[in-house]
Every structure is written in C-alpha cells, then in structure tokens.
Amino acid sequence: MDDDAEIIAEFLVESHENLDQLDRDLVELEQQPDSRERLSSIFRTIHTIKGTSGFLAFNRLEQLTHVGETLLSRLRDGEVVMTPPIAEGLLSMVDTVRALLEGIERTGRDTDPAVDVDPVVAVIEGLLAAEPDTEPAVEPVVEPVTGQAVEAVVVEPVVEPVVVEPVAVEPVVEPVVEPVAEEPWDGVERRVAVDATVRVDVDLLDDLVDLVGELVLTRNQLLQRSLGSADAELVRASQRLDLVASELQESIMKTRMQPIGQVWSKMPRVVRDLSHQLGREVELVMEGHETELDRSLLEAVKDPLTHLVRNSLDHGIEPPDVRRAAGKDAKGTLTLRAYHESGQVVVEIADDGKGIDPATIGAVAVERGVVTRDQLARMDARDVLGLIFRPGFSTAAAVSNISGRGVGMDVVRTNIERIGGSVDVSSEPGRGTTTRVRIPLTLAIIPALVVGEGGERYAIPQANLVELVRIEGDDLRRQVEDLAGAPVLRLRGKLLPLVSLAETLGGTAPGDDALTVVVLQSDEVRFGLCVSEVHDTQEIVVKPIGRQLKALTMYAGATIMGDGRVALILDVAGIAGTVGVGATQHDATDGRALGADDRTALLVLEVADGRRAALPLAAVARLEEFGRDRVERSGAAEVVQYRDGILPLVRLASAIGLPDTSDQGDQISVVVHETGDAAGAVGIVIDKVLDVVEVAVSASEVGRRTGVTGSAVVQDRVTDLVDLEAVVARTGVPA
Amino acid sequence: MTTTTTLRTAEQYCTFWVAGLFFGVAVDEVQEVLRRQPMTPVPRADRAVTGLINLRGQIVTAVDLRVRLGLPDREGDELPMNVIVRSRGEVVSLLVDDIGDVIDTAGVDPHPVPSTMPRTVQDVVRGVRPLPESILLVLDADRAVDVAATPDTTGGTP
C-alpha cells in the first residue's frame, strides 16, 4: 500500500508539472495552430498521463485522456485543423484532468463524483465525429511509451518515504522548468534532465535552512572568541569553518531558489481566459523567467502577482474598439518583467491600457472617506495613486467577475510587505500603468545594521537603510529644528522627520550634543531614526518571536548575536506607523514630493488672531521662542540678545498691516531669518507655527499690499504670502 | 468545566513556587527547567513579558508568573528560575521563584479552584489538589502564557 501511495504521489507531482506545460502549449498552439512541435509536446504529455492512469487503474482519467489523445493525434497528423471549438474542448479536457488529479490527491481514487467527465468526453467525441473516424493512428504508439512511463515512475529517485499524504508533496526542485517563450522542445527524452536531479521534500529543505542558520550563528560565536586567541591552530580552524559555513549557507539557499517562470507558467492561461471573458485582445510578453528567488517567497507572491495581472486586464487594457478610437493598436500588451536589482527581485507588471487618472482616484477616495479633501489637496499625483492601496478602496463601478472579489490592492500590498517587499504603481493616463513589486531574494538570512540603545542591541534590515548621518556641535543647532514639537533635520535641502529610537522604545532621548541619525526608507516614508550607538553590519538569521509579542508592529522578529544574546529586529514600516511618521508629515518628508520643480516648501504661520501667512521655508534658519521679558528696546526697534549678539525683531502682523496679537502669552514665537551679509539675522515675530507644506503655489494678486506679495490657497485656506524683503527692511537690516 | 481535564488517575507534576503559592504543570508539558538566563528586554511589551532568551538557537519569550498572576513583584535579589513549557507549538519560559520536586498525585482527587482566589489566579488554574503538606495549584500552561501584547499608546495606525 505504501508503495502504491508513493507511486501515486509521484504520478501526481509529475502530472501537475505536465499540466502546466500543457496550458502553455495549448495557448501557444492557438496562436500558431500549425506548430507541429507544440502538438507533439501536448500529445506526449496527455499520452504519458493516459499511460500511467491505465497502469494505476484510474479508469475515468484514462477514458478522458484517451479521447483527448485521439483528437490530438488527428491534429498532429494534420487530419484535423485547429479551430476555436477544438481549443476550447482541449482546454476543458485539461481542466477536467486537473480536477480528477485533485480528487486523486484527496482520496487516492479518480471517482470524485463532483467531477463529471462525460460531458467533456461527449464534446470531444462530437469534435471527432465531425471528421472521418480512424483509430489505428493511436494504438501502435501506446504500448512502448506506456511501458516506459511506468518504469520511470517506479525507478525514479523518490520523495521522502514518510510522506504518505500526497498533499504535502509539491514540485520543489523543478527539474524541467521550461522557460515559456523559449525554443520549443526538440523532442529529446525528458528523463535526461530528471536523471541529474533529485526531488527533495520541502520540509526537509526548510529544516536544512534552519540548521544552516544555526551553523552560521555558531560560527559567528566561534569567530568572535578565536579572534583574540593565541592558539594559531584554533584560529586557522575557525577561519576554515567560516569559509565552509558561508559556502554551505549559499548552497543551501540556492537549493531553495526557483525561477519565477514557475509562477508565470500559469499566466498565459489566466490572460487567455480573462481576455476571452472580457472581450479584450491581449498580447502577453514575459521577460526574465529565469530570475530566481526563494521558494517560500515564490509561494507568497503567486497570488498577488496573479491579482495584479487580473487588474491590468480588467481595469487597464481597454476593449479593442475603445483602443482603436484612442488611436492605439486594438491588441493591448501586458508585459511581465522580472530582474535582479541590488539584492532584490523586481517584478514589473506593465500594461498599455488606459492608465489611472489621479483625479478619479482622488474623487473616489474622498467620496469613500479614505482621505479628507484637505489631505487630498496636499498630495501629489504619485501619492494619490498610492491611495489605491488603502483598505476599502475600489474604483470599479461594479464588482466584476474578474476583480473586486474582495481581494483588493491593500491585500496585495499587505502580502508583499509581509515578506519584506514593497509595491508601487506609476501610471500615465491614456498610456498605461506599471506596477513594480520588489521582493527580497531570500528571507532567512539578511544583512542588517546593528545599533545600540539603552544598553541593548537592535538590528535594522539593510534593505531599509538609506544612509548614516552624524551631526555634531554647531551643525546640530543649525540643521535640526523643532517644528511644533516634531524635530526635523535639514538634509541636503530636504526636511527629514526625526524619530528617537529611545523614545519609540518607551524611554527618553538622551540630550547629547551629537546626534547619530540612521536614515530609513520604508515604501513611501522616509525618516531619520536617532540612535545612541551604531555597531556594525552583519548577516543575521531572522527568527520569529512569540505570540505574546505579535501585536508589537515595531519588531520584525529577533536574532541571536555572536555572543549568544538575543537582539530584536526593528520593523521600519512598523516604527513609522507606530510614531505616525508619514501620516502627518508626509508632505515634508516625501523625497519625491520635494523633487518636483514647481513646488515650494512653505512654513505656514498664524498671525493676527488666526490669519494665515506663509514664508518660504528656505528663508527660515531657525525657530525660537523667547520669554517676553527678554525683549529689549534699542531706539524704536525691539531686540533680543541672542547667541552673543543682538537679534532685531520685527512683528510680522504689523509689517503686513494686521493687528498684532503675538504678545498674548509669556513667550513670543520667532522665526529667525539669516540675511545675506555678516550682520546676521532678523527675528520675525509671529503667533505660532502651523505646519510645513509642500505645494505648487499659484499666487493671486488678491491681498497684495506692503509686506505681502499676494495670497494663495494653501491647505484649502487663503494664506498671505509674505514679502520677506519688505518685512526685513522694516528692521533697518539689509535683507 | 476546568476540572475535567485533570480527572486522569495518575498524574505527574513538575512543581514550583510563585509568591508562596505551590504550582504544578503536567510533566509532559514541561520541556526543561533552567537557572537564570541572560535576558533581552522587549520595550513596549506587556509588563509580564520579562524578555527573550536564547534556548539553543530558539528564541523563547519569558513570562514572569508573578506579574502574569497579579501577585506582588519579586524582591530585587531573588533570581527567578525558568520553567520552559510547550504551548500551542511555541516554547515559552515561565519565570518562577523556586523549583520543587516532580510529584505524583495519583489517588488525590482534584478539587475546583476556591472561588475566593484572585480572578487572575483562577483564570490560569485548572484545579487544586490537596496534598498532605501543601495544596497544589494545577497550572494551565496554555493560559498562563497568553499575554496580550499591549497595543501601542503613542497613536498612529500600526
């Protein structure tokens, strides 16, 4: 019985591989109906299944494949020409074969009552009956090949004997992965490839990866000890161990690598079925099938990628008449492209469809309450596109059969992020949409930066790391500002919100005179994490943490350091979420937003009891608060003593013709503007700082007066744009 | 029905003390007992989570039973012991004051938990067994290690 189960399991694994190949072949056959090679390949596949199913007494499967084979042999011999009904019939046969195989997987028999083979058999027999019926073409071939197929099944190096449950057996090390668009088979016997490979149980591989992880950790420990050792023999031995462990790790990782073509092999069929269903004409182009990634990741991206392809067909590529009317080729193109880039795998799904209109997205987002009108006004086109990843978002007017089945883009994103990847969308209305998915090569061992805080060490995945910045002394005062309680760093003209790791962890930030900032990027959010110490970068083995800690999104897991102690791995996206970076300071932080030319960063202020004014952020050197008692008079002018000098003050409200209300508290808020010459600076007295925004200013002449160049709508409010030169001139200091 | 699970006649318990109370965990749920281990604290975790320990390459969460049960904190100089238990596929360390013997309670009838005990203790105890010199509280390891991580309080959506 065990032997049988083993043979059946082997048969299932092989047949599933064959079916994938069959799907690809059939779809291609539709395009090149006269391709002999395709036909032979399909014929061989079905024939093998038929042969083995006869041997294993799967009678219904045999019956089904038998008629299919007969039809195929006619096609192959040129007696019948491929037509859409025939293609349809063959595809439904493949589907039924697959359903029967699933039944066998569950029950060990092909008698699953839910699968009805008779209608399909009838259809194919009908197709056969349309032509003169001659049987003999098939029979002679059957005998030898059946014998060979059976022999192969029995002799082949087999799956773990313990695996009685056939479900556990997945095609792991795909021995005969056929890149889809490559040259068709030359008919060489496929056993050749199989002879050189061994099937390995997935669990066994996972165990091996774990063990290698252990080995790497032990090596780290040993290396650390032996570094200071005087025992030359020990040092040599541990260096050898280092080498061996690294190579072993690499090899084991490689065994889990599989080409992405494995996932893609399903796509031609998906695209074919969908385009038929939706009435679209689509050409599928796939590049880079051989791009490899870890099998666990492959599993994880399978569904998201399929969803994105469905989206492209459903929402992207227009019906042929619409395309023609738009002056495009009636046939749309869907391109899947995979490649390696800086230690990551990038998968692009690009269509030349109608694209996504940010205006539509924005309108729907506001309507659905995903964002407020206010927030929307502050977003640039790219951020608006990003809204499609928010939960509960769908622009589809009606839930169609194809997408909108509750699997939204937010699920796609969640699934991709769960494996440490990222996804972003770019689109040109009318021209098409490209979704770019980035995934790490492997999960288990990652390079990380180790930092220290509160006497403990924390690991930050290198993938999130942008740069390290150390700021000391005067630079610290000049470059770090406090914006209404939120510290920001000026980094090469951009504002980077700062997050203190100590505070994030629930402690208090040390008030040092130097700051070490780890600049981190997670998806669309970039921020600086202030840490106490930076140790080094090293390869860490990611280990899961217990259920008790799952709700803490700031940790991605834990690892064991060279000294055997545990260190937590920080989750950059989780930290950003925890402290709210990105949500509130998005405009100031997003590097892409700052990249746009026509946009200006403005410091939005309140003056004269609620009136709004804005200064170009570039003109702001610092923000200060002074006690009201520090304001002294020098002639008619107000001054404060500031940084060993005298800072002349100007009341912004009076300077722009509004009543001055800046004196209401014990403190006055001052924007320090550094003027060009050595004389230094002036202090502009305001009521309070409201925000920093990044907007495209369209100033209007409305409100133009002394000290005000005009007004603009900023965050849905009319805001005076301050004429800095005029204001500064009132202090007598040359601007 | 918290007592039904203890109705087997012969049961061996690994015993320990927590704040003067005498607890036992079924031996087949206990993986091992360890002295104090180096511990890595987990900021922002529930107060009962003392930290993470490295158990031969496996990362194990340590839960202080005193905190978990709402009992008074351990004195500063008392070093806790680790009772490593298996619970729902994970391995968790319970920090206890002192380790007792493994005892066989065959022939001792289980009793329900006295309703006057603090709720926090009742919640994790399956029943009590009066022994000649002490009363054994039978701990439900699965519930004892159930510590809800405190949601973050600093705002922002996780």
Side-chain angles (χ1 to χ4, degrees):
Chain A
M1 187 59 220
D2 268 2
D3 277 356
D4 273 1
E6 210 174 283
I7 292 169
I8 292 174
E10 183 65 17
F11 165 66
L12 286 170
V13 169
E14 191 180 295
S15 298
H16 276 302
E17 282 168 15
N18 286 341
L19 285 175
D20 288 344
Q21 178 66 38
L22 208 56
D23 268 343
R24 295 195 289 267
D25 284 341
L26 283 172
V27 171
E28 282 192 29
L29 188 67
E30 249 190 327
Q31 275 140 27
Q32 307 163 277
D34 47 357
S35 164
R36 286 256 139 160
E37 280 112 329
R38 284 292 153 216
L39 275 168
S40 316
S41 167
I42 296 170
F43 179 79
R44 260 202 312 276
T45 308
I46 286 294
H47 185 76
T48 307
I49 296 179
K50 181 193 138 173
T52 317
S53 62
F55 171 76
L56 292 170
F58 293 138
N59 295 330
R60 297 171 82 206
L61 187 57
E62 192 187 10
Q63 185 199 358
L64 178 67
T65 42
H66 178 76
V67 288
E69 187 192 55
T70 310
L71 180 58
L72 280 163
S73 75
R74 298 272 173 76
L75 283 165
R76 187 192 55 178
D77 298 343
E79 294 168 26
V80 180
V81 182
M82 185 62 129
T83 58
I86 290 181
E88 204 63 53
L90 288 173
L91 283 175
S92 62
M93 177 199 64
V94 173
D95 285 340
T96 317
V97 168
R98 188 173 271 138
L100 281 174
L101 287 172
E102 274 163 18
I104 294 171
E105 216 164 339
R106 276 196 309 275
T107 62
R109 292 181 197 165
D110 72 335
T111 49
D112 189 346
V115 185
D116 200 355
V117 297
D118 297 340
V120 187
V121 171
V123 165
I124 296 179
E125 276 171 349
L127 289 166
L128 283 169
E131 300 292 323
D133 196 317
T134 40
E135 194 70 10
V138 194
E139 284 316 323
V141 202
V142 177
E143 281 323 311
V145 187
T146 308
Q148 180 232 13
V150 170
E151 182 197 23
V153 166
V154 182
V155 176
E156 214 180 319
V158 208
V159 208
E160 279 279 301
V162 278
V163 186
V164 187
E165 178 80 74
V167 188
V169 188
E170 282 176 59
V172 192
V173 184
E174 173 79 89
V176 274
V177 181
E178 287 278 307
V180 180
E182 260 183 30
E183 281 302 298
W185 251 344
D186 50 6
V188 173
E189 279 305 297
R190 51 188 310 233
R191 294 288 159 234
V192 179
V194 176
D195 284 345
T197 57
V198 184
R199 285 192 205 287
V200 185
D201 185 60
V202 178
D203 291 341
L204 182 62
L205 262 186
D206 287 346
D207 283 351
L208 278 175
V209 170
D210 279 353
L211 285 171
V212 165
E214 280 320 301
L215 182 66
V216 168
L217 289 176
T218 317
R219 171 204 63 185
N220 291 354
Q221 255 161 292
L222 207 61
L223 277 182
Q224 223 165 54
R225 286 285 167 109
S226 72
L227 271 183
S229 167
D231 186 344
E233 198 55 42
L234 174 68
V235 172
R236 244 197 317 278
S238 55
Q239 278 167 353
R240 222 161 34 237
L241 174 70
D242 182 19
L243 210 69
V244 172
S246 306
E247 278 181 20
L248 188 61
Q249 179 195 333
E250 206 174 304
S251 306
I252 293 279
M253 287 302 162
K254 239 180 231 157
T255 59
R256 285 164 51 104
M257 297 297 254
Q258 285 180 286
I260 196 158
Q262 185 121 332
V263 171
W264 284 5
S265 63
K266 306 242 184 303
M267 295 303 180
R269 180 72 193 273
V270 170
V271 170
R272 178 209 175 265
D273 287 358
L274 275 182
S275 47
H276 277 216
Q277 210 173 325
L278 293 164
R280 311 280 153 90
E281 287 174 29
V282 181
E283 181 173 349
L284 178 63
V285 180
M286 300 199 282
E287 293 168 16
H289 327 254
E290 68 290 345
T291 311
E292 289 193 318
L293 66 162
D294 192 277
R295 71 159 291 280
S296 54
L297 294 169
L298 209 58
E299 278 299 306
V301 299
K302 200 190 279 174
D303 288 345
L305 287 185
T306 311
H307 185 78
L308 290 173
V309 166
R310 285 165 172 277
N311 259 355
S312 277
L313 261 72
D314 197 16
H315 298 310
I317 294 174
E318 317 89 326
D321 49 330
V322 177
R323 292 183 62 89
R324 256 184 244 112
K328 292 199 256 190
D329 194 351
K331 195 170 201 172
T333 308
L334 178 66
T335 310
L336 299 183
R337 193 177 292 121
Y339 52 93
H340 286 139
E341 189 187 86
S342 57
Q344 287 185 313
V345 177
V346 183
V347 187
E348 281 179 11
I349 296 110
D351 65 59
D352 63 348
K354 65 170 182 276
I356 307 174
D357 184 4
T360 317
I361 301 286
V364 174
V366 171
E367 186 189 317
R368 302 263 157 106
V370 176
V371 287
T372 64
R373 200 164 291 282
D374 212 34
Q375 284 168 319
L376 184 66
R378 294 166 54 187
M379 293 177 157
D380 68 3
R382 201 180 174 106
D383 296 328
V384 174
L385 274 189
L387 286 174
I388 62 172
F389 292 109
R390 297 282 183 91
F393 189 90
S394 169
T395 47
V399 173
S400 76
N401 194 10
I402 288 48
S403 48
R405 296 183 203 191
V407 194
M409 292 293 272
D410 58 320
V411 180
V412 169
R413 170 177 262 182
T414 313
N415 285 340
I416 301 264
E417 283 182 350
R418 188 172 297 146
I419 53 167
S422 67
V423 50
D424 74 303
V425 173
S426 58
S427 181
E428 216 179 311
R431 302 292 295 277
T433 307
T434 301
T435 312
R436 210 166 274 110
V437 176
R438 285 169 196 280
I439 24 191
L441 278 177
T442 169
L443 272 185
I445 302 184
I446 58 166
L449 176 75
V450 180
V451 300
E453 192 67 70
E456 295 295 333
R457 285 162 300 179
Y458 297 88
I460 303 173
Q462 195 100 54
N464 295 115
L465 195 63
V466 181
E467 61 178 313
L468 286 172
V469 183
R470 173 130 179 115
I471 317 158
E472 294 172 316
D474 270 355
D475 288 343
L476 188 63
R477 278 183 291 279
R478 199 158 47 237
Q479 292 174 9
V480 179
E481 308 267 351
D482 188 90
L483 286 184
V488 293
L489 166 69
R490 277 168 197 266
L491 188 61
R492 293 187 296 276
K494 292 174 182 174
L495 287 181
L496 188 74
L498 294 182
V499 173
S500 153
L501 179 58
E503 283 174 13
T504 309
L505 299 174
T508 48
D512 285 343
D513 52 359
L515 206 57
T516 307
V517 180
V518 184
V519 182
L520 298 172
Q521 172 97 36
S522 160
D523 252 333
E524 60 204 29
V525 184
R526 186 179 278 221
F527 64 97
L529 190 69
C530 305
V531 301
S532 297
E533 298 160 54
V534 170
H535 296 295
D536 53 355
T537 57
Q538 62 184 66
E539 302 258 292
I540 59 165
V541 179
V542 181
K543 303 211 169 230
I545 47 177
R547 206 170 38 240
Q548 293 82 4
L549 307 171
K550 278 281 147 63
L552 296 171
T553 52
M554 50 207 274
Y555 306 121
T559 188
I560 295 169
M561 308 300 287
D563 59 1
R565 292 285 300 267
V566 177
L568 286 157
I569 303 168
L570 299 178
D571 183 326
V572 172
I575 289 179
T578 306
V579 300
V581 187
T584 54
Q585 298 167 347
H586 196 84
D587 294 297
T589 62
D590 196 334
R592 293 181 302 247
L594 295 168
D597 293 335
D598 54 339
R599 300 168 74 85
T600 330
L602 293 177
L603 184 69
V604 183
L605 316 162
E606 187 179 303
V607 285
D609 243 347
R611 296 286 296 267
R612 288 159 66 100
L615 282 169
L617 194 63
V620 178
R622 279 173 299 279
L623 301 171
E624 298 283 358
E625 292 209 316
F626 300 109
R628 206 135 56 91
D629 48 354
R630 283 183 58 190
V631 179
E632 297 172 48
R633 293 211 163 258
S634 158
E638 289 181 306
V639 296
V640 287
Q641 294 181 28
Y642 178 63
R643 291 193 178 182
D644 305 326
I646 293 172
L647 182 73
L649 297 180
V650 52
R651 303 263 173 180
L652 182 60
S654 343
I656 60 177
L658 296 170
D660 183 29
T661 55
S662 56
D663 250 345
Q664 281 164 353
D666 292 340
Q667 302 260 319
I668 55 167
S669 299
V670 175
V671 177
V672 180
H673 166 64
E674 273 171 0
T675 51
D677 63 292
V682 293
I684 301 165
V685 183
I686 56 162
D687 286 14
K688 67 177 179 203
V689 173
L690 294 175
D691 207 348
V692 173
V693 296
E694 176 82 15
V695 287
V697 180
S698 49
S700 74
E701 293 286 299
V702 179
R704 181 169 187 149
R705 57 188 186 272
T706 314
V708 176
T709 55
S711 55
V713 176
V714 178
Q715 295 175 328
D716 287 350
R717 296 272 307 272
V718 174
T719 306
D720 284 336
L721 301 176
V722 175
D723 180 353
L724 201 63
E725 214 167 302
V727 170
V728 170
R730 286 171 67 104
T731 61
V733 179
Chain B
M1 292 299 285
T2 50
T3 55
T4 49
T5 44
T6 61
L7 283 175
R8 278 179 293 157
T9 46
E11 273 209 337
Q12 288 192 309
Y13 290 100
C14 169
T15 62
F16 47 84
W17 280 271
V18 180
L21 296 170
F22 189 51
F23 284 97
V25 172
V27 280
D28 54 359
E29 290 180 309
V30 177
Q31 178 173 313
E32 58 191 299
V33 173
L34 294 172
R35 306 206 151 272
R36 172 143 182 90
Q37 296 286 308
M39 192 102 49
T40 301
V42 184
R44 300 248 179 206
D46 188 279
R47 208 170 71 83
V49 175
T50 314
L52 302 173
I53 58 176
N54 168 14
L55 184 66
R56 296 183 299 276
Q58 194 172 9
I59 301 209
V60 173
T61 313
V63 174
D64 191 332
L65 267 191
R66 279 183 176 250
V67 184
R68 173 69 185 86
L69 301 182
L71 301 169
D73 281 2
R74 200 170 286 110
E75 296 291 321
D77 53 346
E78 284 182 62
L79 291 181
M81 303 277 282
N82 292 276
V83 178
I84 313 282
V85 296
R86 284 181 294 262
S87 156
R88 281 171 279 185
E90 281 182 7
V91 178
V92 184
S93 163
L94 298 175
L95 296 188
V96 305
D97 298 354
D98 210 351
I99 300 291
D101 295 328
V102 172
I103 57 167
D104 199 321
T105 61
V108 183
D109 287 334
H111 289 252
V113 188
S115 59
T116 48
M117 289 196 81
R119 183 122 295 271
T120 47
V121 178
Q122 281 192 46
D123 279 349
V124 296
V125 174
R126 285 183 193 159
V128 300
R129 290 179 185 237
L131 303 174
E133 278 159 25
S134 53
I135 296 174
L136 181 72
L137 300 165
V138 177
L139 193 75
D140 185 325
D142 280 355
R143 279 196 228 158
V145 303
D146 246 345
V147 176
T150 331
D152 193 72
T153 48
T154 51
T157 41

